[in-house]
Amino acid sequence: LTLPMIISRSRFFSFDKEILKKVIKFALPFIPAGIFTMIMELSDRYLLEWLTDTASVGLYSAGKKLGMLGLVAVMGFNMGWTPYFLKRGKEPGARKEFAKVTTLFLGLLGFIIMIVILWIPEIMRLPIGGRTLIGSEFWSCEPVVSSILIGYFFFGTYVLQLPGIYMKEITRWVPIFRAIGAGIMIVAGIVLIPQIGVMGASYAVIIAFFSMSLSVFLKTRNLYSVPYNWIAIIYPIIFLFFSVIIHTNFIINWVVSIFYPVGWYFLALNTEERNGLKKIFP
């Protein structure tokens, strides 16, 4: 239906060849990058089926579906993040703004993920129409959910570092970063799954996304340095791993849930970031 409008507004033989070459050079690396992304998302389940059994794949898949909440949060953020940094990236003060966005987003993402990790038993057993949100036969996948969520947290740290790649027009590195993630996920899965089963696959997700994020950081730290608030970055990571390690109960869950935002505001944020929040929430 829109084809006549497109044709009437287009001049098919008036392309600027230099711009077209530049666009193609910029965009082509995203094709293999997409393939490696598919490998990252699917290889864990194939490895589980190969190294264990179908029942383990079903249990793991149930946990990963709940863990996808982390991916949804990151991808939702990225829908606004990419056009923002593409527009703002070369303007004065952009890197300081990117650092503030990193602090705020990771603080919020870490809080959401921590809440789910702490309260995942209650979430799974949430009654809906005489049934529970997750069937009782899958309740044992709780640790998988926690690991997958932490893995997607590190995917968030990867996404936050993309301005350096785009601003310096080195998108040829994107498939390399994704290949690192895919390769490490496969190797880690082959090593860990025979030892600890479904948890080996979930730990492979954490290792893969962390490695992918670290590889971007090592590449861009000198090319496009951003003045990150490292305390604010490390703060949610500490809480995420703490929430997995500790033996929680109702009281501890509430204490940690309340302390996280209070501690984040007073301990993790610097003065400039706190003042910025006061402007947003006067």
Side-chain angles (χ1 to χ4, degrees):
L1 292 174
T2 59
L3 187 60
M5 296 172 60
I6 295 172
I7 292 174
S8 66
R9 297 180 182 184
S10 302
R11 296 180 180 178
F12 294 100
F13 301 102
S14 60
F15 285 120
D16 186 315
K17 292 181 180 179
E18 293 303 315
I19 292 178
L20 182 61
K21 288 179 183 177
K22 191 175 181 179
V23 169
I24 291 174
K25 182 181 178 181
F26 185 90
L28 275 179
F30 289 97
I31 297 176
I35 294 172
F36 288 123
T37 300
M38 291 174 61
I39 293 172
M40 288 190 69
E41 286 300 317
L42 298 173
S43 60
D44 48 1
R45 277 162 282 194
Y46 280 105
L47 286 172
L48 264 176
E49 187 168 18
W50 174 43
L51 297 170
T52 57
D53 51 41
T54 305
S56 297
V57 177
L59 186 66
Y60 178 80
S61 296
K64 191 162 187 177
K65 283 179 181 178
L66 272 177
M68 292 288 281
L69 173 66
L71 179 62
V72 170
V74 173
M75 295 307 296
F77 165 78
N78 194 41
M79 293 291 287
W81 174 235
T82 301
Y84 168 73
F85 73 66
L86 285 175
K87 182 179 179 180
R88 186 79 176 90
K90 294 185 179 180
E91 296 179 13
R95 300 188 192 193
K96 276 191 173 184
E97 288 188 11
F98 295 164
K100 291 178 184 177
V101 171
T102 298
T103 294
L104 296 175
F105 178 66
L106 290 184
L108 177 61
L109 180 65
F111 181 67
I112 293 171
I113 290 176
M114 185 199 72
I115 291 295
V116 175
I117 292 174
L118 290 175
W119 299 98
I120 190 63
E122 287 75 15
I123 294 172
M124 284 187 171
R125 293 159 179 78
L126 187 69
I128 300 177
R131 304 177 64 181
T132 56
L133 180 64
I134 301 296
S136 58
E137 64 272 26
F138 296 110
W139 287 352
S140 59
C141 73
E142 291 172 12
V144 173
V145 179
S146 302
S147 297
I148 297 298
L149 285 168
I150 293 174
Y152 285 131
F153 176 88
F154 286 116
F155 179 53
T157 64
Y158 166 82
V159 167
L160 284 162
Q161 296 179 85
L162 290 179
I165 303 299
Y166 283 77
M167 294 302 103
K168 295 300 179 179
E169 297 183 7
I170 51 172
T171 53
R172 64 184 181 278
W173 279 86
V174 173
I176 297 175
F177 301 140
R178 297 295 178 95
I180 290 171
I184 288 178
M185 182 173 286
I186 292 171
V187 172
I190 291 174
V191 172
L192 295 175
I193 290 173
Q195 305 296 323
I196 50 179
V198 293
M199 290 309 299
S202 63
Y203 290 157
V205 172
I206 297 176
I207 296 169
F209 279 119
F210 174 78
S211 301
M212 196 168 73
S213 179
L214 180 62
S215 64
V216 181
F217 173 74
L218 294 175
K219 178 62 181 177
T220 59
R221 61 176 179 168
N222 294 324
L223 292 175
Y224 194 86
S225 60
V226 176
Y228 294 117
N229 177 357
W230 286 103
I231 295 176
I233 292 174
I234 295 172
Y235 182 90
I237 296 175
I238 292 174
F239 269 81
L240 290 180
F241 283 103
F242 177 77
S243 62
V244 171
I245 294 171
I246 62 170
H247 181 70
T248 61
N249 57 45
F250 185 81
I251 296 175
I252 292 176
N253 287 356
W254 272 108
V255 170
V256 175
S257 299
I258 294 170
F259 182 79
Y260 178 101
V262 175
W264 178 74
Y265 182 82
F266 289 104
L267 301 176
L269 300 188
N270 57 39
T271 304
E272 189 176 352
E273 289 165 343
R274 281 196 292 270
N275 291 336
L277 272 182
K278 289 177 182 177
K279 293 179 181 178
I280 299 173
F281 304 103

